[in-house]
Structures are given as structure tokens and as C-alpha cells.
Amino acid sequence: MEKKEIRVFSPGSIGNVGCGFDVFGLAIAAVGDTVTVARNNSGALRILALDGDDSLPLDPAKNIVTVGVKAMLSALQSPLGFDFRISKGVAAGSGMGSSGSSAVAGVFAVNELLGRPYTQDELLPFAAIGEQRASVQLHYDNVAPSMLGGFTVVRSADPLEILQVAVPDNLYLALVKPGVVVNTGVAKKMLGESMPITRAVAQFGNIAGLVVGLQQQDIGLIGRSVEDFLATPVRLQLIPKFNEARAAALAAGAAGFNISGSGPALFAVCAGEGTARKVLAAWRKVYQDDGNASFYLTRPDTEGVRVVA
Ligand code: HSE
């Protein structure tokens, strides 16, 4: 074991990217969690500090960072203990991949300290166990982009098969997080068990269109394709001023718009930074009465989780 202490940064992400429910994910550079991990001699996992979100538990059996690590150490039959200092840069319940970012940071950091017994792909199931603590149902569309960076596709969750698709250089995202919290588990339970075939066919078209749009670096096609007929029509009621935000984004030149993950954050697909700035200016007007709204201008994070110290 080389290092005794390590600090990692794990980016947040846009789950679903509109049409790809539980399948598509896009890492974003604007937000992320920083976690410092050190070996201890107690043989236990301990959270010594947690800043950035007072609502999260310090109990290692409940915190998403340590739940995944516990599963990983158990699989390795490792008796080792670790201390964690967590700095949350992605707010829980924001729809910007908070739990995925935390879960990835924990397992990645400990894996590094252990001399990399697992590849990053192999770490994903442990991160997903941590993520599941927050969202009830297992899903990989946030942990995969936080771990690997860029745009990821969960081709199959069982057996796990993750694909990566390159993103265009001029792809910018504007995001707004209205001042409400959405619990992913609750937002998942809102969805029905089935979908009419006509809507499913439209969804398949968008799913294919989004992947082709990425490959052809066609931001217009990407934007048209992020429309979702599965979760968005149900979940939009959770998000203040969803319709106004959508109209404002498109009027400001966005190529597309949707909910980030299970919300409340919203994202707009933009060709270039100038358009993204116009969208944010329009949203500041839409949400001028929401003192807790936050605004982000970002590019995809193409690197994924990494060691920073
Ligand atoms: N894909 C999941 C959902 C989580 O929409 O419920 C997204 O962050």
C-alpha cells in the first residue's frame, strides 16, 4: 500500500439525459464531491467531517460514501478501517447526481489506497450499492458518468455493460436548480409500470437520435432528442415553473431541455457558451422570486473521478 491518505474529486451528473431513463448519464464539470480518505487503525469506517450539506448522516452505515465502501471491503474480505472527510459539492436531492458522486468518490478513493484491486468498471456495482441507499432502486446512470466521465450508456445493468460515447466540443449545458428538494426514491415510485406503445416508439426514436447526434456532433439533433415521454410528463409537477423554464430556454436558443435526473434541476442543451449564458439570463428572470434557486454554466466533465491530492 503506497499512499496512506488520498483526496479525490468526483463530478456530478445529469441522469437520464432526458429520454434515456436509468440508461443515459452525462458527467458535468460544474459540481462534484471532494472526499479525503485515510487509513486508520480501528478497523472501522469513520466519517470525521462532512461539510456542504447538513442533512446527510455521519453514520457510516447510512452515508452513501461509506455504504459502497463497506460492500467493497466485505467483497475483498478486508479488515482495514478508513477515515473519511466529505465535502459535498453536489446538493442532495438536487437531481445533479449527488448520491452517485458520493458513492463513486468513496469506492474509488479506497480502491486507490488499496493498490487498485478493482478496475473502475468493477467498482461500479459497489458504488451502485451506495447510490441505492438514496434512491431505493438500483440504477447506474449517475455512478457510471461520475466514475468514467463523459456520456455513458447503461446497455445492460445485469450483467453490467457500460458504453461511452464522445461528446461534441461545443456542447454546453445550462442548469437551474429551483429551491426545492426531490427525493429520487419518491420520484421513481410516481412512475407507472407500463407505457403505451406509441409513446414507447417515440422514445426509441429519441434514444437513437441522441446517440447519433453525439456521434455526428449535431447539437440540434441532440437537443431534439432529449425529449422524454416516460418520466418527465409525470415528474414535471414536482418542479416549480417547469413550463416557463422550458419556454424560456428554447426562446433563448437552447437546442433542447429536460429534467436532470429526477429533478428538480433542469438542463438545457446549448451549442456554445454564448447560448448557455442567454439561457441562464432568461432563467434568472423566471426564478427571480426563488431565493434558493441556483444556476450553473457547464461543459461535460470528460475525465470522471480522479485523485486531486
Ligand atoms: N435515473 C434515475 C431516475 C435517477 O430518474 O429516477 C436519476 O438521477
Side-chain angles (χ1 to χ4, degrees), residues 47-69:
I47 298 174
L48 302 185
L50 199 169
D51 64 65
D53 192 329
D54 295 340
S55 69
L56 297 174
L58 284 166
D59 180 350
K62 294 183 179 157
N63 192 289
I64 288 161
V65 174
T66 35
V67 167
V69 172

Side-chain angles (χ1 to χ4, degrees), residues 43 68-82 110 114 117-118 126:
V69 172
K70 190 167 183 303
M72 176 181 144
L73 292 175
S74 170
L76 288 169
Q77 298 184 310
S78 167
L80 298 178
F82 295 89
V110 171
L114 292 175
Y118 292 114
F126 300 119

Side-chain angles (χ1 to χ4, degrees), residues 13-16 20-24 95-99 131 135 137 139-142 184-185 187-188 191 231 235 260-263:
S13 59
I14 296 173
N16 303 336
F21 181 75
D22 278 6
V23 167
F24 291 158
M96 295 163 76
S98 167
S99 42
E131 157 85 88
S135 52
Q137 290 172 27
H139 63 99
Y140 286 90
D141 57 318
N142 292 118
T184 300
K188 278 192 174 296
L191 306 178
R235 289 175 169 175
S260 178
S262 58

Side-chain angles (χ1 to χ4, degrees), residues 176 178 227-228 232-252 256-259 264-267 279 282-283 285-287:
V176 57
E227 193 174 2
D228 166 52
T232 306
V234 181
R235 289 175 169 175
L236 63 84
Q237 62 186 285
L238 299 172
I239 301 168
K241 303 200 175 179
F242 174 92
N243 289 319
E244 294 95 317
R246 181 175 191 278
L250 298 179
F257 166 91
N258 217 319
I259 302 171
L266 302 166
F267 72 94
V279 171
W283 281 346
K285 289 184 190 152
V286 171
Y287 290 100

